[in-house]
RNA sequence: CGGGGCGUAGCGCAGCCUGGUAGCGCACCUGCCUUGGGCGCAGGGGGUCGUAGGUUCAAAUCCUAUCGCCCCGACCA
């Protein structure tokens, strides 16, 4: 029997001053977690119990499609160099040296280790498909840990990896995960959405995120309330209302725009809408120079409609997976021979073209599709205090390529049905995606197919953030006094509260009810502390347990109270009927 | 990485500007009292003022450095 008086549940009356989001405040106040360092948390008794419940559900469902394993968190550098991620991951990868000076890192995910096992052990198509998973800590040296458990440097992840002989096989493994994830999140009692996601630059063909809408979230998701369209911001597209082009049929014409640098300033100065203006962004990327075998900088110019925002994930896709950064002032001078603020595409020499799917020499000029077919736009003249009128893409400059580069905003038309889209913040709790051949190829995993030919297995990878399930649940269900969890993931399902432990009748009844409920298969916590009722009720409201049985004065009439935390609904039940009551209530969920 | 803020008892904070005995509320311990929404009275314990250096007769307070934590930004040229 779990007696509160003997347990370590240090609830707090006040939240730590630096807690901003509800889940952070309440998980600390309710004694689920304590912070050890930035983005690093200890899980106390209640928190760990809740995580164990979540892990239990995840494990039970994952066992239906995969095999559990447990991989090291400490990885040798060589493994990550083989996949190329040692350099790609930058400072987000925790790195350390052992006593001999050998480089190691702490795993962020385990593609390398899983693929290493596959490379060494898998020989034949007969061994495929495989789905291997684990539930283990992951480490990421986030530039900015924040929001309690939402963005941390160490966290628990269920990660799984599939190996298939061909893309059709991958489709099956992917779908299995899709279905199992739905069961997992359903069982965890979350209200979640499934959205199309950016699959990363390297060959990922399909990807879905499982998200929970909450203002505390860091993801932006775009969804349609009319049809089923839903995607995250990195992937979302929309239909745009037609824009009336400015009149004019001449060649580009310089106009004096003294000191007018920003889109808004220029538009106001010229009396036009930002929608008739071109936004010119100057960026630098790096690429391998085949002649010298070393990376060299490469200029990228991006054009967007004046009121649109660049989406970096889409840009990265358009650049074949390369990262980029804004140009420095000197670099802008070099490429444009113009101060920032008056940049434009007209007259840019040395533009790259695309041949055989690769960029040729020169400046890469990427133009957002929203500018395709537009006419008579305003753009910078590459000269201080001047802009150009009558700029028409395709006539006055030739883009290297048109691409979808902009972020969708709320109210734009759904790509399927034109209904205005909504944009919401959300927490990502799960992500599945088709990796393709990236790791199996780079790390040299090969199997023989039916014909005895060597082929590279195709992979998928799939993650679930354990802590985020709890965090999202708290964000979804809280009020001023605390939060309530779905019984399936709550540390306890029922809290039994005798209002006065000094009254023998109350205590014996509370003990009796507690043990009956336990016998009935419920997880029960008995609040046997010698505290005033107010204190116990406040704690009861705080700690996330979805039901409370109050044992008070009415025991003399053979009655106790059952309180549902979510609604605060109270009803009386006879002492003998308590177990029955919960059995009926819980049966649908069990 | 850029900008801002904060480090004083377990938690929340005051004191710092204007240098001179380290305080308040909650929590904790003891006793009494109370028992349906963080009750009351009395007594008590607990702090290297983040760390290091400097200025000074004297530093929580002024100066410098450093570490930690939080927030905003890191795209609109």
């Amino acid at each position: 029997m779990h007696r509160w008086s003997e347990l370590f549940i240090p609830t707090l009356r006040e939240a730590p001053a630096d807690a901003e989001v509800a889940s952070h405040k309440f998980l600390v106040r309710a004694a689920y977690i304590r912070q050890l360092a930035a983005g690093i948390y200890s899980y106390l008794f209640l928190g760990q119990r809740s995580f164990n419940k979540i892990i239990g559900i995840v494990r039970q469902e994952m066992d239906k499609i995969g095999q559990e394993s447990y991989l090291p968190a400490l990885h040798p550098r060589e493994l990550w160099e083989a996949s190329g991620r040692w350099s790609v991951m930058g400072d987000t990868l925790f790195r350390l040296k052992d006593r001999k000076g050998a480089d190691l890192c702490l795993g962020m995910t385990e593609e390398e280790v899983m693929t290493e096992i596959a490379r060494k052990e898998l020989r034949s198509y007969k061994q495929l498909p495989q789905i291997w998973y684990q539930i283990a800590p992951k480490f990421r040296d986030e530039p900015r840990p924040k929001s309690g458990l939402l963005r941390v440097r160490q966290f628990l992840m269920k990660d799984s990896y599939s190996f298939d002989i061909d893309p059709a096989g991958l489709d099956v493994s992917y779908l299995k995960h899709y279905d199992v994830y739905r069961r997992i999140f359903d069982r965890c009692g979350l209200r979640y959405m499934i959205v199309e996601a950016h699959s990363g630059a390297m060959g990922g063909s399909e990807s879905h995120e499982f998200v929970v809408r909450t203002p505390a979230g860091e993801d932006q998701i775009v969804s349609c309330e009319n049809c089923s369209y839903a995607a995250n911001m990195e992937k979302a597209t929309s239909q745009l209302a037609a824009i009336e082009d400015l009149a004019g049929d001449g060649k580009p014409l310089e106009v004096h725009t003294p000191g007018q640098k920003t889109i808004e300033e220029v538009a106001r100065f010229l009396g036009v809408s930002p929608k008739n203006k071109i936004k010119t962004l100057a960026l630098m990327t790096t690429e391998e120079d085949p002649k010298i075998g070393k990376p060299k900088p490469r200029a990228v110019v991006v054009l967007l409609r004046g009121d649109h925002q660049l989406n970096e994930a889409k840009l990265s896709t358009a650049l074949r997976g390369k990262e980029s950064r804004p140009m420095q002032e000197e670099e802008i001078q070099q490429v444009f021979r113009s101060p920032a603020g008056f940049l434009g595409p007209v007259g840019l020499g040395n533009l790259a073209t695309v041949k055989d799917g690769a960029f040729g020499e020169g400046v890469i000029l990427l133009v957002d599709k929203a500018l395709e077919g537009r006419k008579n736009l305003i753009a910078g003249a590459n000269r201080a205090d001047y802009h150009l009128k009558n700029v028409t893409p395709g006539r006055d400059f030739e883009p290297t390529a048109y691409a979808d580069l902009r972020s969708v905003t709320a109210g734009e038309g759904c790509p399927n049905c034109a209904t205005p889209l909504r944009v919401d913040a959300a927490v990502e709790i799960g992500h599945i995606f088709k990796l393709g051949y990236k790791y199996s190829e780079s790390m040299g995993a090969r199997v023989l197919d039916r014909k005895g030919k060597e082929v590279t297995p195709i992979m998928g990878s799939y993650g679930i953030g354990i802590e985020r399930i709890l965090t999202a649940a708290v964000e979804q269900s809280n009020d001023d006094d605390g939060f309530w969890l779905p019984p399936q993931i709550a540390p306890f399902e029922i809290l039994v509260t005798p209002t006065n432990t000094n009254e023998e009748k109350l205590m014996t009844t509370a003990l009796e009810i507690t043990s009956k409920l336990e016998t009935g298969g419920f997880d029960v916590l008995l609040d046997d502390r010698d505290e005033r009722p107010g204190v116990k009720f406040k704690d009861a409201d705080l700690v996330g347990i979805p039901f409370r049985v109050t044992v008070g004065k009415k025991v003399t009439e053979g009655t106790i109270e059952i309180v549902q935390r979510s609604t605060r609904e109270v009803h009386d039940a006879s002492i003998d009927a308590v177990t029955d009551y919960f059995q009926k209530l819980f049966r649908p969920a069990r």
Side-chain angles (χ1 to χ4, degrees):
Chain A
M1 189 176 289
H2 292 279
R3 298 167 186 263
W4 194 315
S5 67
E6 294 166 3
L7 297 170
F8 182 57
I9 307 176
T11 58
L12 299 176
R13 194 182 286 231
E14 289 177 274
D18 47 33
E20 300 251 316
V21 300
S23 59
H24 186 191
K25 288 180 188 161
F26 286 135
L27 289 174
V28 172
R29 282 193 55 202
Y32 278 52
I33 61 171
R34 286 292 186 268
Q35 183 175 34
L36 182 63
I40 304 175
Y41 286 84
S42 304
Y43 304 153
L44 307 186
F45 177 63
L46 289 185
Q48 184 58 22
R49 264 188 89 87
S50 180
F51 290 132
N52 283 340
K53 298 266 180 98
I54 294 167
I55 288 168
I57 292 171
V58 171
R59 176 174 287 130
Q60 213 176 57
E61 293 298 333
M62 282 304 300
D63 280 343
K64 293 176 180 169
I65 64 167
Q67 306 149 70
E68 184 167 11
S69 51
Y70 185 82
L71 307 179
L74 218 41
H75 302 175
R77 169 180 184 159
E78 291 68 29
L79 213 49
W80 284 67
E81 281 190 328
S83 71
R85 291 209 292 176
W86 181 264
S87 56
V88 171
M89 282 308 163
D91 291 335
T92 306
L93 188 63
F94 271 109
R95 297 160 206 257
L96 63 156
K97 282 189 192 297
D98 68 13
R99 61 169 71 204
K100 292 182 224 150
D103 288 310
L104 299 165
C105 65
L106 297 176
M108 313 170 56
T109 55
E110 306 266 349
E111 278 85 355
E112 283 82 1
V113 180
M114 284 289 191
T115 309
E116 173 73 0
I117 294 169
R119 184 180 74 81
K120 287 181 167 164
E121 312 292 338
L122 295 179
R123 294 279 167 266
S124 158
Y125 73 94
K126 292 177 189 167
Q127 293 170 294
L128 299 182
Q130 290 291 332
I131 293 175
W132 300 336
Y133 83 94
Q134 64 162 351
I135 299 167
K138 297 287 176 287
F139 301 87
R140 295 184 189 176
D141 197 356
E142 293 284 348
R144 215 180 115 200
K146 59 183 281 201
S147 306
L149 289 188
L150 273 183
R151 188 171 207 68
V152 289
R153 297 196 291 173
Q154 173 177 348
F155 58 97
L156 281 172
M157 186 183 207
K158 185 292 296 174
D159 49 321
S160 46
Y161 306 88
S162 64
F163 298 86
D164 281 279
I165 193 72
D166 57 21
L170 174 58
D171 289 345
V172 173
S173 295
Y174 188 87
L175 199 61
K176 281 183 179 174
H177 277 86
Y178 189 95
D179 290 340
V180 155
Y181 273 35
R182 287 206 303 188
R183 277 208 295 279
I184 288 170
F185 298 129
D186 284 343
R187 285 186 60 186
C188 288
L190 292 171
R191 298 186 297 276
Y192 62 95
M193 292 177 66
I194 304 174
V195 305
E196 293 175 28
H198 181 66
S199 48
M202 304 292 280
S205 51
E206 198 177 357
S207 171
H208 286 89
E209 268 179 21
F210 294 72
V211 301
V212 170
R213 273 212 278 245
T214 153
E218 307 192 288
D219 268 29
Q220 294 281 101
I221 57 155
V222 176
S223 59
C224 175
E225 287 175 287
N226 180 48
C227 71
S228 62
Y229 183 75
N232 80 2
M233 190 53 87
E234 300 182 337
K235 171 91 179 181
T237 59
S238 68
Q239 299 183 31
L240 290 174
I243 303 294
E244 187 146 344
D245 285 316
L246 298 174
D249 49 5
K251 288 272 166 198
L253 187 66
E254 274 195 351
V255 286
H256 193 47
T257 51
Q260 312 295 311
K261 290 189 177 189
T262 68
I263 300 286
E264 283 70 31
E265 283 167 3
V266 174
R268 203 178 313 121
F269 185 80
L270 297 176
V272 302
S273 159
K275 293 175 181 167
N276 291 104
K277 184 148 188 335
I278 291 177
K279 178 184 285 188
T280 306
L281 304 178
L283 304 151
M284 273 293 181
T285 185
T286 51
E287 64 180 9
E288 199 79 6
D289 185 336
K291 278 176 247 161
I292 50 176
K294 271 195 278 187
K296 63 165 191 190
R298 170 103 180 232
V300 178
V301 174
V302 171
L303 302 188
L304 295 165
R305 202 171 86 183
D307 60 325
H308 285 161
Q309 309 253 322
L310 177 64
N311 185 309
E312 287 179 70
K314 290 180 178 177
L315 174 63
S316 169
T317 304
L319 288 173
R320 319 283 198 269
K322 282 200 277 285
E323 296 300 311
S324 55
R325 58 164 176 82
M327 272 192 198
Q328 314 271 322
E329 189 70 35
E330 313 85 71
E331 293 167 333
I332 290 179
Q333 281 292 345
Q334 238 174 6
V335 176
F336 294 90
R337 294 188 200 80
S338 156
F342 302 95
L343 308 183
V346 179
L348 276 183
N350 190 27
L351 289 179
T353 52
V354 177
K355 348 173 219 197
D356 309 327
F359 296 119
E361 290 286 308
V363 176
I364 298 170
L365 177 60
L366 295 176
V367 179
D368 185 64
K369 284 185 171 157
L371 291 176
E372 201 167 6
R374 297 287 309 278
K375 296 186 301 189
N376 301 326
L377 297 154
I378 311 288
N382 296 323
R383 179 180 164 201
D385 296 335
Y386 284 91
H387 280 77
L388 293 176
K389 303 204 297 193
N390 299 336
V391 175
T392 299
R395 183 191 71 184
D396 302 322
F397 60 90
E398 202 49 57
T400 305
Y402 286 102
D404 178 15
L405 298 168
R406 72 187 177 87
S407 289
V408 168
T409 56
E412 291 173 4
C414 169
N416 296 339
C417 71
T419 306
L421 292 167
R422 57 184 283 184
V423 176
D424 298 276
V427 176
E428 178 186 357
I429 51 174
H431 197 162
I432 56 179
F433 73 102
K434 297 183 178 176
L435 274 181
Y437 300 99
K438 181 181 175 185
Y439 295 89
S440 45
E441 178 74 54
S442 61
M443 299 183 66
R446 299 272 190 285
V447 297
L448 294 182
D449 71 8
R450 200 175 297 266
K451 294 171 197 143
K453 200 183 77 179
E454 216 173 46
V455 297
T456 304
I458 186 165
M459 294 174 61
S461 101
Y462 319 86
I464 288 179
I466 301 296
E467 287 89 342
R468 283 186 174 180
I469 291 179
L470 175 62
T471 312
V474 175
E475 291 294 339
Q476 272 188 344
S477 304
N478 68 79
D479 58 23
D480 290 346
D481 293 324
F483 61 97
W484 53 96
L485 293 174
Q488 309 88 291
I489 65 169
F492 292 95
E493 295 164 320
I494 302 164
L495 178 65
V496 175
T497 307
T499 56
N500 185 346
T501 51
N502 297 315
E503 282 185 42
E504 211 186 317
K505 178 72 180 160
L506 297 195
M507 273 311 285
T508 51
T509 308
L511 283 164
E512 180 196 328
I513 289 173
T514 304
S515 65
K516 268 197 202 156
L517 284 169
E518 282 183 342
T519 310
F522 293 99
D523 253 336
V524 189
L525 175 61
L526 172 66
D527 189 356
D528 61 339
R529 293 174 301 166
D530 182 14
E531 289 283 357
R532 296 176 57 82
V535 172
K536 295 165 87 157
F537 292 155
K538 284 289 183 190
D539 273 342
D541 288 345
L542 175 64
V543 298
I545 301 175
F547 295 96
R548 182 176 95 210
V549 174
T550 309
V551 182
K553 291 175 197 141
K554 294 178 202 160
V555 285
T556 51
E557 305 153 28
T559 305
I560 49 80
E561 283 170 5
I562 294 170
V563 185
Q564 183 164 358
R565 175 63 182 86
S566 57
T567 57
R568 296 189 187 269
E569 241 173 275
V570 182
H571 45 275
D572 292 354
S574 81
I575 293 167
D576 299 332
V578 177
T579 310
D580 255 17
Y581 176 89
F582 281 112
Q583 230 118 39
K584 282 198 189 100
L585 193 72
F586 276 60
R587 190 161 296 136
R590 282 178 175 237

